[in-house]
Amino acid sequence: MSTSVPVAERPTPEATKKPKRSSFNEGTGRLAALLLSPTMIVLILVVGLPILAALRESLYTSGQQIDESGFIVQGSKFVGLDNYTAIFSGETGTRFWNAFYNTTFFTVTCVVLETVLGVMMALVMHKAFRGRAIVRASILVPWAIPTVVSALLWKWIFQADGIANDVLGTQILWSTEGWQSVVSVIVADTWKTAPFIGLLVLAGLQTIPDEVYEAAKVDGARAWSQFVHITMPLVKPALLVAVLFRILDTLRIFDLPFVLVGPNKESVETLSILAYLEANQTRYGPAAAYATLLFIYVAVVAYVFVKLLGADVFGDAIQRKSKKKKNGRNGRAQAKQTDQGAPVAGLTAGGGLGGE
């Protein structure tokens, strides 16, 4: 006598489907907008409005002008893109390209030197030794000094009878036109801002677990291999952000060469100095055009740097990684539910056989 075993019915997809949680809550969204609104208002007032005002001013020319009748007219006049076209022509164009070259040269040279020295400083500060706190504090002193004060200090060092000539045993006029003024600006800027990169790289080094290096030592990796294959890849996000900030800061360099060497020096004249000199002569339209071109240059460099090297400035990579991980967990959960449903289907199909 055969007995049939009752088999549980397979649950329907509607019954097993979990209620979806809304990823957006209107109350949370309104609260976030309310909390962010003061910051956005400040950014609009401090950043947005000055940019729009500079763009508008670059389309006008101000000061005394002579009209068609030969009379002197005082005020602003709309000239369209004439201020921009005048930048690239004649002596003005030569001066602009010289300032553009100086700005780019200072950026590339200073950032490369600061990156190398900053990484070295970070490695030194990361080691455990007696007096490490004093070394860290002393390394950060140059970064804490205001740029104008730092420029005045180096101007005193690079005087004709200053310490630099005494140490080198020469009589170089560092503040005159020529290569020596370029060297003085590079030395002063590197001395001041290399600790900034060192500080950010040090923060990245402190997030690397010691077990990683211990495992590498067990595998026989030498110090250079550990630096190339462990330290640099893990510290890369912090290093890229530090280098990006330094690039943006050096592209608009003004106060250091202006105070250290002085204005109207062709060898160290940058785009910021050029815009300042135009504004100082009450030529506000051309000055705004120079400032606008510098703004576009900085924006393009920042965009290319982020896209090519992948500097995670706003934490987008972390958000994408967490979102990808969450989607992976959801996919595994759905696959698990599918696998659990298969035996139920087989058991239901075998129920008819059990009744024989």
Side-chain angles (χ1 to χ4, degrees):
M1 182 178 179
S2 62
T3 60
S4 61
V5 180
V7 179
E9 296 183 358
R10 182 181 180 181
T12 60
E14 290 76 8
T16 58
K17 186 181 296 183
K18 294 183 179 180
K20 294 183 179 179
R21 294 183 179 180
S22 177
S23 58
F24 178 78
N25 190 316
E26 291 185 0
T28 305
R30 285 195 296 266
L31 179 61
L34 182 63
L35 295 176
L36 291 176
S37 57
T39 303
M40 297 303 299
I41 293 174
V42 172
L43 288 176
I44 292 174
L45 295 177
V46 177
V47 180
L49 292 182
I51 292 176
L52 295 178
L55 290 173
R56 179 190 177 279
E57 188 65 30
S58 66
L59 303 177
Y60 288 81
T61 181
S62 58
Q64 294 183 352
Q65 302 173 8
I66 300 177
D67 60 4
E68 299 177 354
S69 302
F71 293 99
I72 297 177
V73 180
Q74 183 74 24
S76 299
K77 178 183 178 182
F78 180 79
V79 294
L81 299 178
D82 290 348
N83 290 327
Y84 293 96
T85 57
I87 290 177
F88 301 99
S89 60
E91 295 182 359
T92 304
T94 303
R95 192 175 182 184
F96 168 78
W97 288 115
N98 175 71
F100 182 85
Y101 168 78
N102 291 337
T103 302
T104 306
F105 178 78
F106 282 137
T107 301
V108 174
T109 307
C110 292
V111 171
V112 169
L113 293 176
E114 291 162 9
T115 302
V116 174
L117 294 177
V119 172
M120 294 172 61
M121 291 178 181
L123 294 175
V124 171
M125 291 186 292
H126 187 61
K127 296 294 183 180
F129 57 90
R130 181 177 297 179
R132 183 175 63 174
I134 299 177
V135 173
R136 288 183 177 181
S138 61
I139 287 178
L140 294 178
V141 166
W143 173 250
I145 298 176
T147 306
V148 175
V149 177
S150 175
L152 291 174
L153 291 174
W154 281 101
K155 187 175 184 179
W156 172 68
I157 293 174
F158 285 123
Q159 285 181 349
D161 56 348
I163 301 174
N165 285 334
D166 291 340
V167 173
L168 298 176
T170 59
Q171 289 295 325
I172 300 176
L173 301 178
W174 297 93
S175 60
T176 57
E177 189 72 63
W179 63 268
Q180 61 276 4
S181 59
V182 178
V183 173
S184 64
V185 172
I186 292 175
V187 171
D189 188 71
T190 304
W191 175 82
K192 174 174 172 51
T193 53
F196 171 75
I197 295 182
L199 181 63
L200 293 186
V201 174
L202 175 62
L205 288 174
Q206 292 179 341
T207 61
I208 303 177
D210 295 334
E211 292 79 5
V212 178
Y213 293 102
E214 293 176 358
K217 291 179 181 179
V218 172
D219 293 338
R222 297 183 179 181
W224 177 251
S225 299
Q226 296 178 23
F227 175 76
V228 174
H229 297 97
I230 297 177
T231 303
M232 291 305 298
L234 294 180
V235 86
K236 178 183 175 183
L239 181 60
L240 289 180
V241 172
V243 171
L244 176 61
F245 286 169
R246 283 303 307 139
I247 289 176
L248 301 183
D249 196 23
T250 313
L251 283 174
R252 53 185 179 83
I253 186 172
F254 168 79
D255 41 6
L256 184 62
F258 188 86
V259 176
L260 178 58
V261 181
N264 298 315
K265 299 294 178 60
E266 183 180 350
S267 56
V268 296
E269 189 173 66
T270 62
L271 292 175
S272 297
I273 295 178
L274 197 56
Y276 168 80
L277 294 177
E278 290 292 324
N280 194 38
Q281 298 296 326
T282 66
R283 294 192 289 265
Y284 301 115
Y290 283 121
T292 302
L293 291 177
L294 178 59
F295 170 76
I296 295 174
Y297 184 32
V298 172
V300 169
V301 170
Y303 178 82
V304 172
F305 187 90
V306 172
K307 286 297 181 181
L308 291 183
L309 298 181
D312 188 20
V313 182
F314 305 104
D316 295 336
I318 299 176
Q319 295 179 1
R320 289 194 298 267
K321 186 176 180 180
S322 61
K323 185 177 180 180
K324 184 177 180 181
K325 186 182 296 184
K326 183 178 179 181
N327 293 336
R329 287 198 300 265
N330 294 338
R332 288 193 298 270
Q334 293 176 359
K336 186 176 180 181
Q337 291 179 0
T338 304
D339 294 341
Q340 289 177 352
V344 175
L347 185 59
T348 305
L353 299 174
E356 292 179 356

